[in-house]
Amino acid sequence: MLSSSRIPWKSLLFLFAWSAPALLFAQGKFTVNGRLKIEGGDLATTRAVVYKDGAKERTITSNLNKFSLDLDLNHNYVIAFEKDGYVSKKVSFNTKAPAEAIANGFTPFDFAVSLFKQYDDINIVVFNQPVGMIRYDDKTGDFDYDTDYTKSIQSQLQQVLAQVDKKQKEEADNAKANEGKAAEEAKAKAKAEADAAKQAAAKAKADAEAAKQAEAKAKADAEAARLAEEARVKAEQKQQAEAKKVEPPKPPPAVVAEKPAPKVAPKPELRKPAPPPPVCAR
């Protein structure tokens, strides 16, 4: 949620403050070192918006996993950490401090913030206010959390965080169940694909064997047809040869020149005597 670590070294600064004007100038700033974590996500599209005395001063969008800011003293700062789909959180820094404390300098303040996913059925109105308030502590002479403020919102934060933990556990259980279901589905799918591949291979083998047999049959039929045609041609040639032995071919008839007919002298025409005149009876 939000944490800090303190390294007491302001006494060392106090020993050298009187002889180091440049250091005194640097002590006019209050350095904060922040770390941002996204629960169940990454830092993409995450931003830190810095408000100074209620006005927006700048927006940081890179290297939010580890960053440093130098805050001017005697001002009020609010850093809002935001990411779409996640609950935004704010951290308040009141940098007002006594002049003698400023002369001594301050220890850099380290803190961490984590953002969790937003759930529609969880009331997050408590996060409209800062989850932590850092101010000057007279007892320690340095900046630290305002414990009174932390106590005032602690019960509300715990209620919300308990609900968030329950939701996150439910999501983790559902994710685990879905992973198991997905694994079973993947296993069943792999088996089905393996069976389909096996059947496809068997079908391809059967088709190849059928094609091979069809090719062999076609080749055998072609060979049989060729042999039949050769037999037919041989039989025909044999028949023609035998026919030539029985009836040898006749020579073509000789051409005889026709002799002219002998000339015959015409016979003399013989005239027959005239018949006698008929005899008349008296």
Side-chain angles (χ1 to χ4, degrees), residues 206-222:
D207 291 344
E209 185 64 24
K212 183 178 179 180
Q213 293 178 358
E215 182 180 0
K217 184 177 182 301
K219 186 176 180 180
D221 292 344

Side-chain angles (χ1 to χ4, degrees), residues 131-142:
V131 295
M133 184 175 291
I134 294 85
R135 64 173 64 246
Y136 180 78
D137 185 0
D138 292 329
K139 295 179 180 179
T140 61
D142 210 335

Side-chain angles (χ1 to χ4, degrees), residues 1-281:
M1 286 294 300
L2 187 62
S3 63
S4 69
S5 61
R6 313 300 295 158
I7 304 175
W9 52 281
K10 62 180 181 178
S11 58
L12 181 64
L13 291 178
F14 176 73
L15 294 176
F16 292 93
W18 61 272
S19 61
L23 182 60
L24 289 175
F25 177 78
Q27 291 169 0
K29 301 285 186 179
F30 174 44
T31 301
V32 296
N33 301 318
R35 291 178 179 272
L36 179 62
K37 178 183 177 182
I38 306 299
E39 298 181 10
D42 54 37
L43 291 173
T45 71
T46 305
R47 55 196 174 274
V49 184
V50 181
Y51 296 89
K52 180 179 180 181
D53 296 330
K56 182 178 179 181
E57 184 184 56
R58 52 182 153 164
T59 300
I60 306 170
T61 58
S62 61
N63 301 322
L64 288 174
N65 58 318
K66 185 177 181 181
F67 64 96
S68 295
L69 293 176
D70 289 331
L71 306 181
D72 294 331
L73 294 175
N74 297 319
H75 292 279
N76 287 310
Y77 286 89
V78 173
I79 304 177
F81 298 93
E82 304 170 352
K83 179 179 175 65
D84 296 339
Y86 287 75
V87 176
S88 299
K89 292 182 180 179
K90 302 173 184 176
V91 180
S92 174
F93 295 89
N94 183 344
T95 62
K96 295 179 181 179
E100 60 273 16
I102 295 176
N104 295 336
F106 304 102
T107 304
F109 187 84
D110 299 334
F111 70 101
V113 176
S114 63
L115 301 185
F116 56 83
K117 189 184 300 182
Q118 183 174 350
Y119 300 96
D120 294 335
D121 55 346
I122 295 180
N123 187 350
I124 57 172
V125 66
V126 65
F127 292 102
N128 291 338
Q129 56 190 326
V131 295
M133 184 175 291
I134 294 85
R135 64 173 64 246
Y136 180 78
D137 185 0
D138 292 329
K139 295 179 180 179
T140 61
D142 210 335
F143 287 95
D144 205 345
Y145 286 107
D146 186 333
T147 55
D148 292 335
Y149 177 81
T150 302
K151 290 178 181 179
S152 69
I153 64 170
Q154 187 173 5
S155 61
Q156 299 179 62
L157 290 175
Q158 288 178 345
Q159 291 177 5
V160 174
L161 294 178
Q163 297 178 58
V164 171
D165 289 340
K166 182 179 178 181
K167 285 288 186 180
Q168 291 177 342
K169 186 177 183 302
E170 291 176 354
E171 286 185 345
D173 293 341
N174 292 334
K176 187 176 180 180
N178 291 334
E179 287 178 0
K181 184 179 178 181
E184 289 296 328
E185 292 177 350
K187 184 178 179 181
K189 182 180 178 181
K191 185 177 182 302
E193 290 177 350
D195 292 342
K198 186 176 179 180
Q199 293 176 1
K203 184 178 183 300
K205 183 177 179 180
D207 291 344
E209 185 64 24
K212 183 178 179 180
Q213 293 178 358
E215 182 180 0
K217 184 177 182 301
K219 186 176 180 180
D221 292 344
E223 182 65 15
R226 186 184 67 80
L227 294 175
E229 179 64 17
E230 288 182 355
R232 186 190 67 78
V233 172
K234 288 180 179 180
E236 184 177 341
Q237 290 175 350
K238 183 178 179 182
Q239 184 180 3
Q240 291 177 355
E242 290 176 352
K244 289 179 180 179
K245 290 178 182 179
V246 175
E247 295 180 1
K250 296 179 181 181
V255 179
V256 180
E258 295 184 357
K259 296 181 179 181
K263 295 183 180 180
V264 180
K267 296 181 181 180
E269 183 181 354
L270 297 177
R271 293 185 180 182
K272 294 181 180 181
V279 178
C280 301

